[in-house]
Each structure stands twice: as C-alpha cells, then as structure tokens.
Amino acid sequence: MSYDLTLNIWRGDANGGDFAEYVVPAEEGQVVLDAVHRAQATMANDLAVRWNCKAGKCGSCSAEINGRPRLMCMTRLSSLPQGEPVTITPLRTFPIIRDLVTDVSFNYERAKQVPAFTPTAEQPQAPFTMHQVDVQRSQEFRKCIECWLCQNVCHVIRDHEENKEHYAGPRFFIRYAELDMHPNDALDRKEFVQDVQGLGYCNITKCCTEVCPESIKITDNAIIALKERVVDAKYDPVVRFFRRRRPRSASSE
Amino acid sequence: MTAATTTPTPPRTGPRAAIAAKTLRKDRWRLEPTAYAILFLLFVGYVAWAAWENADYYARPYLSPLYSPCLASICANVRAGSHIVHPPRVGFIGTWWAVSPALLALIIPGGLRTTCYYYRKAYYRAIWRAPQACGVAEPHRRYTGETRFPLILQNLHRLFFILALLVNGVLTWDAFESFRWPGGWNMGVGSIILTLNAALLWMYSLSCHSCRHIIGGRLKHFSRHPVRFWLWGVVSKLNQSHMQIALVSMVWVALTDLYIRMVAVGWIPNPRFF
C-alpha cells in the first residue's frame, strides 16, 4: 500500500545549511534509503548521499534518522513513528562535505596508528595453529563493517571536538582488544591504548553498543575487557605484587 | 612482550553540519535517565538516613546488612542485654569511632557499586548527564572522562570487588545466624530475607565485569585453560544480567534494612515459623 512520506533532510555544506522538506510516495517494506533515493530521483537530483550495498554490510549509508545514528538501508520506514515526518541528518561528529556526506577521514588516520599484529617468537609466521575457542573470541570484533556509527555517537568526540586529538574511539578499541586477545600476538598495547589512544576518556555509557548494526558488544566484550587489562598493567596492587614475585609473560597465558 | 610506542598524528578537522538543535530524537529518551536518577536518589537518601540513624539495625537474630560487618565497639551497645548470637566482632576498630558503624560497613559495598561498570553507565547518564542519552548533546564544556582525579579512581573497582567478597562472606554468616534463635534453630521472615540478600549479593559480585576478567577474560589462550574457559563462560552468562542483578540486589538491601528496622522498632511482629 502506497502512502505519502514527508522527509526532512538536512542540506548544505561547510558554509551552512538547513532542512529541506520532500514528500515522496513510499511503499510497505521500504527502508529510509529507498525514500531518500526516491527524493533524489524525483525532486533533488543534486542531493549528496553515500551508499553502496543496501544490505547493511558496507557501512556507507550511515546517517542520523530522527536524531539516532543508524544505517539508512537497515531502517525500515515501518519502524519509525507513522504519520510523522522523518528527519535525516549527516553524522554530527565529522566535518560536513555536502548534504548527508561527511568527511570520515579521522577514522582512517586513527586506523593507521594501530600497531600491527606482531607474532610471537614461538610461531613467527603464518599459518598459525589456533584452537577454535581462541579464534571465535575475536571473530565477534571482525564483524565490524566500519560504518562509524559508534565513533559518531560517542560523546567524547561528538560533544568535544578537542578530544579528537587524543581519543581513538570505540571502533579502534575493539581492534586493540582483538589484537590483545590474539594468542599469537606478542605486542603489549595496554599502556599505549590507555595513555596515547585515550581509553580512559571512555566512561562506558554504552552508546556505541546501542547503535552497532552488527550487534557487537563493544562495551562489554572489548572496552571493559581492555580497561580491565589496563588495570592489570597499571592499577591493580594485587596483580603487581604477584607479578613481582612471579614474573610471567602475558603471552604465555 | 614488547610495548607499542607509535606517536599519533593529529586528525584532520573542519566545520560540522550546522544543526542548532541539541538533539533531534523524537522518542521518550528522558524517561530512562529520569527513572534511574529518581531510583538512585531514593536509594542513596534512604541509605544515608539509615546509616546516620545509628539505631534500630538489630532485631534479634537479624542484623541489618547496612551495618554488617559491624566493626565498631559501639555495636556492643546494641547487643548488650540481648542474646548475643553473632561471633565477637565488636571492638575490632576500637572505641574511638563515635558515630554510626554503618559508615564503616558501607565503605566497601559503596565503593564496589560506585565503581561498578554498570552503575557508572547508569549514573553518568542519569546524574552527570555525560551524556543523558545516545545522540543527545551533553551540557559540559570540557570532558576528560576517567583520565584524571577523581574519576581515575574508578580503576579501583577490582580492589573493591575482592574486598566485597569478604563482606559477602560476613553477610552470608549473618544469614546463617538469622536461623539461630534464642530457643534454638528456627526460621522467620527475616531469615528468608537475609538469605535472599546474601544470595543476590553473591550473584551481583560474581556477575561483575572484574570477576569475568579475573576468571578467564585476561587469558590469551582459552584452549590452554579449559577449566577457566568454562568458568568464564558461566560468569559471562551471569554477566549478561549484571544490570538486572545490580538493581534487584540494591533494592533488596534497602528492603532488608527496612524490614529489620520495622521489627526493631516494633511496627511489625517478629514471627518464627516453627
């Protein structure tokens, strides 16, 4: 059944912008990206919108729908309040390029700073012999599609631009956790992630977990796990006492 | 193990989309932080009052969990003239402590809950508003998170967790003692309440993220530690309900104190079942 849907889309660039209203025909079962494409095709040919797979796997069509960071291709129109306009804005945390497209290069700069996987002396090169229980732990983190919704919603940089200088963000904390949990990795990143990549800025309010389209438990399984590992390295007097008495490499555990 | 030492390059910045509204959310996002703020303020208000009251926390054979372990000598005043059914713990700290002993007893449970990862999320949202809800701008001009004093002390959660296990042991003993009545073994409503209280506190502690880490989370090789891996799986399942357990155990502690207080002042009788 077709009906008229009102879209309020933010349009503009670095010099300013405002909301533009488009009324488009919508069909049952459609997602927000379908409606945006309809507006682009029929009323706003110059509307800038980034998209690719339309299947929630490329992470391109991230935007804020009614104020909530989501993938446009995975947000069904039927899940939004019926009979009300749908507000669509670009990701707030990143510099605007035009309309719904932002410059997310902050994330790629941060990605370059992640110290690479460093194999242990026991198994210096691939193929590594690993048990499934060791592999599956980090497989959850490998589901990340780099849509940057977690980076966008994190208030540490969303509300404080100045913190971008010393805060990597949730997407990279899952990368650090993945590497730190890898049985064949020998590099100690704990103090680096705490002191240089700003793990301490995270106050675990779990917004990253709430918005993750891949349902990765970013906070519970990665960030808190990393924070606990940092406690092992820096803050736990009991661990420090036993480490002094019985020095042991973490990689051996 | 070598340590990572990369120096980061500053990220590129530029103007963001000019959107004035602090949030464009249309759902009832204020509901959750407001409900938590009310719950926490009620709980803290009640505990502060009950702790400062320094009376009516012992109704034979029940001892309020807010006053246990009762380390101060002043606790002897409560038990004087009654059947002393608890082991002699009084006088541990000395007679210099002149105010409510609950203020001592609450240091460890208070520290545990204040630094707990779940409570941090809840009160950072509900009280500190950093942020109130996802996608809602926070009101603070600066934000340094848990990198500086006093919030860097949140890293002491592990220490409070270990100490809280000792407190849980004492509260379990209190629950056991609640079955020892002056005439012999028996059971009252308070015995059930105190037993449930101890069980909930154990569940809260064992479902904690620090516990999950110590049990097995810190390992790199699950395959080399099958027992710890199995235990980690059990704690991880409990951990999924950590929020619910944290809230229920918190409310139950207050209700336990309230029940014992009402029995102590004579508002309700103190029946035994057998």
Side-chain angles (χ1 to χ4, degrees), chain B residues 77-97:
Chain B
N77 298 340
V78 177
R79 298 195 176 101
S82 67
H83 295 266
I84 300 173
V85 292
H86 288 269
R89 293 194 297 268
V90 291
F92 183 76
I93 292 292
T95 52
W96 57 271
W97 187 262

PDB file of all heavy atoms in Angstrom, chain B residues 77-97:
ATOM      1  N   ASN B  77      26.787  -1.903  72.184  1.00  0.00           N
ATOM      2  CA  ASN B  77      25.641  -1.287  72.865  1.00  0.00           C
ATOM      3  C   ASN B  77      24.333  -1.892  72.395  1.00  0.00           C
ATOM      4  O   ASN B  77      23.389  -2.037  73.145  1.00  0.00           O
ATOM      5  CB  ASN B  77      25.606   0.221  72.605  1.00  0.00           C
ATOM      6  CG  ASN B  77      26.847   0.881  73.163  1.00  0.00           C
ATOM      7  OD1 ASN B  77      27.509   0.311  74.021  1.00  0.00           O
ATOM      8  ND2 ASN B  77      27.149   2.065  72.672  1.00  0.00           N
ATOM      9  N   VAL B  78      24.309  -2.205  71.112  1.00  0.00           N
ATOM     10  CA  VAL B  78      23.080  -2.752  70.545  1.00  0.00           C
ATOM     11  C   VAL B  78      22.816  -4.139  71.104  1.00  0.00           C
ATOM     12  O   VAL B  78      21.702  -4.491  71.448  1.00  0.00           O
ATOM     13  CB  VAL B  78      23.192  -2.831  69.012  1.00  0.00           C
ATOM     14  CG1 VAL B  78      21.958  -3.471  68.411  1.00  0.00           C
ATOM     15  CG2 VAL B  78      23.418  -1.463  68.457  1.00  0.00           C
ATOM     16  N   ARG B  79      23.872  -4.889  71.207  1.00  0.00           N
ATOM     17  CA  ARG B  79      23.695  -6.284  71.616  1.00  0.00           C
ATOM     18  C   ARG B  79      23.641  -6.439  73.139  1.00  0.00           C
ATOM     19  O   ARG B  79      23.293  -7.501  73.627  1.00  0.00           O
ATOM     20  CB  ARG B  79      24.826  -7.123  71.053  1.00  0.00           C
ATOM     21  CG  ARG B  79      24.847  -7.118  69.536  1.00  0.00           C
ATOM     22  CD  ARG B  79      25.716  -8.201  68.998  1.00  0.00           C
ATOM     23  NE  ARG B  79      25.619  -8.212  67.533  1.00  0.00           N
ATOM     24  CZ  ARG B  79      26.540  -7.680  66.750  1.00  0.00           C
ATOM     25  NH1 ARG B  79      27.593  -7.110  67.254  1.00  0.00           N
ATOM     26  NH2 ARG B  79      26.383  -7.718  65.435  1.00  0.00           N
ATOM     27  N   ALA B  80      24.036  -5.401  73.857  1.00  0.00           N
ATOM     28  CA  ALA B  80      24.027  -5.504  75.315  1.00  0.00           C
ATOM     29  C   ALA B  80      22.605  -5.774  75.793  1.00  0.00           C
ATOM     30  O   ALA B  80      21.657  -5.104  75.379  1.00  0.00           O
ATOM     31  CB  ALA B  80      24.554  -4.216  75.919  1.00  0.00           C
ATOM     32  N   GLY B  81      22.457  -6.736  76.627  1.00  0.00           N
ATOM     33  CA  GLY B  81      21.135  -7.039  77.166  1.00  0.00           C
ATOM     34  C   GLY B  81      20.361  -7.975  76.280  1.00  0.00           C
ATOM     35  O   GLY B  81      19.279  -8.444  76.644  1.00  0.00           O
ATOM     36  N   SER B  82      20.866  -8.272  75.087  1.00  0.00           N
ATOM     37  CA  SER B  82      20.173  -9.212  74.215  1.00  0.00           C
ATOM     38  C   SER B  82      20.997 -10.491  74.150  1.00  0.00           C
ATOM     39  O   SER B  82      22.122 -10.557  74.632  1.00  0.00           O
ATOM     40  CB  SER B  82      20.019  -8.628  72.820  1.00  0.00           C
ATOM     41  OG  SER B  82      21.281  -8.517  72.222  1.00  0.00           O
ATOM     42  N   HIS B  83      20.429 -11.505  73.542  1.00  0.00           N
ATOM     43  CA  HIS B  83      21.188 -12.742  73.371  1.00  0.00           C
ATOM     44  C   HIS B  83      22.207 -12.514  72.257  1.00  0.00           C
ATOM     45  O   HIS B  83      21.836 -12.284  71.116  1.00  0.00           O
ATOM     46  CB  HIS B  83      20.251 -13.894  72.999  1.00  0.00           C
ATOM     47  CG  HIS B  83      19.292 -14.223  74.090  1.00  0.00           C
ATOM     48  ND1 HIS B  83      19.535 -15.193  75.028  1.00  0.00           N
ATOM     49  CD2 HIS B  83      18.096 -13.682  74.407  1.00  0.00           C
ATOM     50  CE1 HIS B  83      18.513 -15.245  75.865  1.00  0.00           C
ATOM     51  NE2 HIS B  83      17.629 -14.342  75.506  1.00  0.00           N
ATOM     52  N   ILE B  84      23.444 -12.573  72.588  1.00  0.00           N
ATOM     53  CA  ILE B  84      24.472 -12.328  71.572  1.00  0.00           C
ATOM     54  C   ILE B  84      24.668 -13.607  70.760  1.00  0.00           C
ATOM     55  O   ILE B  84      25.194 -14.595  71.252  1.00  0.00           O
ATOM     56  CB  ILE B  84      25.792 -11.891  72.214  1.00  0.00           C
ATOM     57  CG1 ILE B  84      25.564 -10.608  73.014  1.00  0.00           C
ATOM     58  CG2 ILE B  84      26.873 -11.677  71.163  1.00  0.00           C
ATOM     59  CD1 ILE B  84      26.737 -10.176  73.820  1.00  0.00           C
ATOM     60  N   VAL B  85      24.197 -13.567  69.545  1.00  0.00           N
ATOM     61  CA  VAL B  85      24.257 -14.765  68.717  1.00  0.00           C
ATOM     62  C   VAL B  85      25.338 -14.669  67.654  1.00  0.00           C
ATOM     63  O   VAL B  85      25.639 -15.630  66.985  1.00  0.00           O
ATOM     64  CB  VAL B  85      22.897 -15.051  68.033  1.00  0.00           C
ATOM     65  CG1 VAL B  85      21.874 -15.446  69.067  1.00  0.00           C
ATOM     66  CG2 VAL B  85      22.455 -13.846  67.229  1.00  0.00           C
ATOM     67  N   HIS B  86      25.914 -13.491  67.502  1.00  0.00           N
ATOM     68  CA  HIS B  86      26.947 -13.333  66.487  1.00  0.00           C
ATOM     69  C   HIS B  86      28.325 -13.569  67.100  1.00  0.00           C
ATOM     70  O   HIS B  86      28.515 -13.384  68.288  1.00  0.00           O
ATOM     71  CB  HIS B  86      26.892 -11.922  65.896  1.00  0.00           C
ATOM     72  CG  HIS B  86      25.712 -11.735  65.017  1.00  0.00           C
ATOM     73  ND1 HIS B  86      25.750 -11.975  63.683  1.00  0.00           N
ATOM     74  CD2 HIS B  86      24.441 -11.379  65.308  1.00  0.00           C
ATOM     75  CE1 HIS B  86      24.560 -11.749  63.176  1.00  0.00           C
ATOM     76  NE2 HIS B  86      23.749 -11.391  64.144  1.00  0.00           N
ATOM     77  N   PRO B  87      29.268 -13.963  66.316  1.00  0.00           N
ATOM     78  CA  PRO B  87      30.618 -14.124  66.855  1.00  0.00           C
ATOM     79  C   PRO B  87      31.170 -12.768  67.286  1.00  0.00           C
ATOM     80  O   PRO B  87      30.729 -11.732  66.783  1.00  0.00           O
ATOM     81  CB  PRO B  87      31.402 -14.679  65.655  1.00  0.00           C
ATOM     82  CG  PRO B  87      30.609 -14.306  64.463  1.00  0.00           C
ATOM     83  CD  PRO B  87      29.194 -14.259  64.892  1.00  0.00           C
ATOM     84  N   PRO B  88      32.116 -12.743  68.169  1.00  0.00           N
ATOM     85  CA  PRO B  88      32.604 -11.464  68.707  1.00  0.00           C
ATOM     86  C   PRO B  88      33.428 -10.690  67.683  1.00  0.00           C
ATOM     87  O   PRO B  88      34.615 -10.930  67.524  1.00  0.00           O
ATOM     88  CB  PRO B  88      33.448 -11.885  69.904  1.00  0.00           C
ATOM     89  CG  PRO B  88      33.858 -13.289  69.606  1.00  0.00           C
ATOM     90  CD  PRO B  88      32.756 -13.891  68.807  1.00  0.00           C
ATOM     91  N   ARG B  89      32.778  -9.803  67.001  1.00  0.00           N
ATOM     92  CA  ARG B  89      33.484  -8.961  66.037  1.00  0.00           C
ATOM     93  C   ARG B  89      33.680  -7.558  66.576  1.00  0.00           C
ATOM     94  O   ARG B  89      34.413  -6.780  66.027  1.00  0.00           O
ATOM     95  CB  ARG B  89      32.701  -8.885  64.719  1.00  0.00           C
ATOM     96  CG  ARG B  89      32.623 -10.179  63.958  1.00  0.00           C
ATOM     97  CD  ARG B  89      32.148  -9.903  62.536  1.00  0.00           C
ATOM     98  NE  ARG B  89      30.799  -9.353  62.507  1.00  0.00           N
ATOM     99  CZ  ARG B  89      29.699 -10.089  62.399  1.00  0.00           C
ATOM    100  NH1 ARG B  89      29.792 -11.393  62.327  1.00  0.00           N
ATOM    101  NH2 ARG B  89      28.521  -9.530  62.362  1.00  0.00           N
ATOM    102  N   VAL B  90      32.937  -7.236  67.614  1.00  0.00           N
ATOM    103  CA  VAL B  90      32.959  -5.859  68.103  1.00  0.00           C
ATOM    104  C   VAL B  90      34.320  -5.524  68.675  1.00  0.00           C
ATOM    105  O   VAL B  90      35.043  -6.381  69.158  1.00  0.00           O
ATOM    106  CB  VAL B  90      31.867  -5.640  69.178  1.00  0.00           C
ATOM    107  CG1 VAL B  90      30.506  -5.712  68.554  1.00  0.00           C
ATOM    108  CG2 VAL B  90      32.017  -6.660  70.288  1.00  0.00           C
ATOM    109  N   GLY B  91      34.670  -4.239  68.604  1.00  0.00           N
ATOM    110  CA  GLY B  91      35.929  -3.796  69.155  1.00  0.00           C
ATOM    111  C   GLY B  91      37.101  -3.945  68.215  1.00  0.00           C
ATOM    112  O   GLY B  91      38.224  -3.633  68.547  1.00  0.00           O
ATOM    113  N   PHE B  92      36.836  -4.363  67.012  1.00  0.00           N
ATOM    114  CA  PHE B  92      37.905  -4.573  66.048  1.00  0.00           C
ATOM    115  C   PHE B  92      38.603  -3.256  65.705  1.00  0.00           C
ATOM    116  O   PHE B  92      39.816  -3.178  65.594  1.00  0.00           O
ATOM    117  CB  PHE B  92      37.325  -5.224  64.785  1.00  0.00           C
ATOM    118  CG  PHE B  92      38.339  -5.552  63.743  1.00  0.00           C
ATOM    119  CD1 PHE B  92      39.177  -6.644  63.896  1.00  0.00           C
ATOM    120  CD2 PHE B  92      38.477  -4.763  62.617  1.00  0.00           C
ATOM    121  CE1 PHE B  92      40.123  -6.948  62.939  1.00  0.00           C
ATOM    122  CE2 PHE B  92      39.424  -5.060  61.656  1.00  0.00           C
ATOM    123  CZ  PHE B  92      40.238  -6.161  61.820  1.00  0.00           C
ATOM    124  N   ILE B  93      37.786  -2.234  65.525  1.00  0.00           N
ATOM    125  CA  ILE B  93      38.342  -0.935  65.167  1.00  0.00           C
ATOM    126  C   ILE B  93      38.785  -0.159  66.418  1.00  0.00           C
ATOM    127  O   ILE B  93      39.777   0.541  66.398  1.00  0.00           O
ATOM    128  CB  ILE B  93      37.288  -0.109  64.384  1.00  0.00           C
ATOM    129  CG1 ILE B  93      37.044  -0.747  63.024  1.00  0.00           C
ATOM    130  CG2 ILE B  93      37.730   1.336  64.206  1.00  0.00           C
ATOM    131  CD1 ILE B  93      38.207  -0.670  62.067  1.00  0.00           C
ATOM    132  N   GLY B  94      38.048  -0.320  67.498  1.00  0.00           N
ATOM    133  CA  GLY B  94      38.384   0.414  68.719  1.00  0.00           C
ATOM    134  C   GLY B  94      37.240   1.301  69.158  1.00  0.00           C
ATOM    135  O   GLY B  94      36.223   1.423  68.472  1.00  0.00           O
ATOM    136  N   THR B  95      37.410   1.939  70.292  1.00  0.00           N
ATOM    137  CA  THR B  95      36.316   2.734  70.852  1.00  0.00           C
ATOM    138  C   THR B  95      36.323   4.175  70.362  1.00  0.00           C
ATOM    139  O   THR B  95      35.439   4.951  70.690  1.00  0.00           O
ATOM    140  CB  THR B  95      36.415   2.738  72.387  1.00  0.00           C
ATOM    141  OG1 THR B  95      37.748   3.142  72.720  1.00  0.00           O
ATOM    142  CG2 THR B  95      36.136   1.361  72.961  1.00  0.00           C
ATOM    143  N   TRP B  96      37.319   4.542  69.564  1.00  0.00           N
ATOM    144  CA  TRP B  96      37.397   5.935  69.120  1.00  0.00           C
ATOM    145  C   TRP B  96      36.307   6.282  68.114  1.00  0.00           C
ATOM    146  O   TRP B  96      35.982   7.443  67.911  1.00  0.00           O
ATOM    147  CB  TRP B  96      38.767   6.215  68.486  1.00  0.00           C
ATOM    148  CG  TRP B  96      39.087   5.298  67.343  1.00  0.00           C
ATOM    149  CD1 TRP B  96      39.706   4.095  67.424  1.00  0.00           C
ATOM    150  CD2 TRP B  96      38.765   5.492  65.969  1.00  0.00           C
ATOM    151  NE1 TRP B  96      39.804   3.519  66.183  1.00  0.00           N
ATOM    152  CE2 TRP B  96      39.235   4.358  65.261  1.00  0.00           C
ATOM    153  CE3 TRP B  96      38.131   6.511  65.248  1.00  0.00           C
ATOM    154  CZ2 TRP B  96      39.066   4.220  63.890  1.00  0.00           C
ATOM    155  CZ3 TRP B  96      37.979   6.371  63.881  1.00  0.00           C
ATOM    156  CH2 TRP B  96      38.438   5.237  63.212  1.00  0.00           C
ATOM    157  N   TRP B  97      35.730   5.282  67.493  1.00  0.00           N
ATOM    158  CA  TRP B  97      34.717   5.550  66.464  1.00  0.00           C
ATOM    159  C   TRP B  97      33.408   5.899  67.154  1.00  0.00           C
ATOM    160  O   TRP B  97      32.754   5.042  67.734  1.00  0.00           O
ATOM    161  CB  TRP B  97      34.546   4.330  65.570  1.00  0.00           C
ATOM    162  CG  TRP B  97      33.651   4.581  64.393  1.00  0.00           C
ATOM    163  CD1 TRP B  97      32.333   4.272  64.301  1.00  0.00           C
ATOM    164  CD2 TRP B  97      33.991   5.216  63.172  1.00  0.00           C
ATOM    165  NE1 TRP B  97      31.832   4.671  63.095  1.00  0.00           N
ATOM    166  CE2 TRP B  97      32.832   5.257  62.374  1.00  0.00           C
ATOM    167  CE3 TRP B  97      35.165   5.777  62.663  1.00  0.00           C
ATOM    168  CZ2 TRP B  97      32.813   5.811  61.099  1.00  0.00           C
ATOM    169  CZ3 TRP B  97      35.142   6.329  61.401  1.00  0.00           C
ATOM    170  CH2 TRP B  97      33.986   6.346  60.632  1.00  0.00           C
TER     171      TRP B  97
END
